Amino acid sequence: GAVVSQHPSWVICKSGTSVKIECRSLDFQATTMFWYRQFPKQSLMLMATSNEGSKATYEQGVEKDKFLINHASLTLSTLTVTSAHPEDSSFYICSASGGRRAEAFFGQGTRLTVV
Amino acid sequence: AQTVTQSQPEMSVQEAETVTLSCTYDTSESDYYLFWYKQPPSRQMILVIRQEAYKQQNATENRFSVNFQKAAKSFSLKISDSQLGDAAMYFCAFSGYALNFGKGTSLLVTP
């Protein structure tokens, strides 16, 4: 299957700072990328969908000013958690897709801890 | 909106035995995909099996097979000859556009 690389795999940051997470599709062009959040022992919750060259679509209840998503190219999407607080601590996973209903490939995930 | 329901929070199976994980979904769409993903302790999401809704034949991947009942909106996963490495969280997912996941089933494999 295709490879999606997510970086960093873990990060610890101070409260009030911003953190950027990168998601790269290494061997295919991802027209769509998805960002999920996963709390311990829970399922993946879709945060937002981004299409290359256009604004991200956020799910209800997700603050777009806190979770900035940029999908500047067909191989890279970034999620920036701005002014992070301890409640933002979670596991964030990206996935990339070649198109509607196509198989989605997942990054390794990023464990964010805000102290 | 599509919903995916996994009614078994935890399941246990002995090595070499067979186990079935259940999944039901709700949608008004006629063209969609269904997936089973495995998430081991590393938390990497691994695709186990995929089913296209327009295909009547149940998908099979080695020891993994599904029982897809479109009219009943049911999509169960059968794992045959269970191995210790099968222990993980299993998520059923519906793909209309983004993936909608069920809450997951934690599978324990005992020696």
Side-chain angles (χ1 to χ4, degrees), chain B residues 64-82:
Chain B
F64 299 88
S65 62
V66 298
N67 183 3
F68 174 49
Q69 301 290 328
K70 189 173 183 179
K73 295 180 182 172
S74 171
F75 183 61
S76 62
L77 173 70
K78 185 172 80 172
I79 305 174
S80 304
D81 186 26
S82 297

Side-chain angles (χ1 to χ4, degrees), chain A residues 32 34 36 38-44 46 49 51 91 93 100-104 106-108 111, chain B residues 29 31-33 35 37 39 42-45 47 50 89 91 95-99 101-104:
Chain A
T32 305
F34 304 95
Y36 296 86
Q38 186 180 30
F39 291 104
K41 298 187 178 181
Q42 293 190 23
S43 187
L44 282 71
L46 180 66
T49 302
N51 292 297
F91 191 69
I93 309 176
R100 183 179 173 88
R101 299 195 183 93
E103 179 180 343
F106 287 84
Q108 306 93 317
R111 181 180 302 279
Chain B
E29 297 188 25
D31 182 18
Y32 51 87
Y33 286 73
F35 303 87
Y37 280 91
Q39 188 180 44
S42 68
R43 304 189 81 169
Q44 173 72 55
M45 295 293 285
L47 177 65
R50 173 176 58 183
M89 281 292 292
F91 293 100
S95 176
Y97 187 55
L99 286 175
F101 290 92
K103 291 187 175 182

Side-chain angles (χ1 to χ4, degrees), chain A residues 56-110:
Chain A
T57 303
Y58 291 82
E59 295 299 301
Q60 190 173 9
V62 178
E63 299 176 59
K64 62 180 180 181
D65 294 331
K66 165 166 277 295
F67 300 100
L68 299 180
I69 291 172
N70 183 280
H71 192 163
S73 76
L74 285 171
T75 60
L76 174 65
S77 177
T78 60
L79 167 67
T80 301
V81 183
T82 62
S83 186
H85 291 284
E87 57 266 30
D88 299 324
S89 298
S90 189
F91 191 69
Y92 294 88
I93 309 176
C94 72
S95 73
S97 169
R100 183 179 173 88
R101 299 195 183 93
E103 179 180 343
F105 302 95
F106 287 84
Q108 306 93 317
T110 298

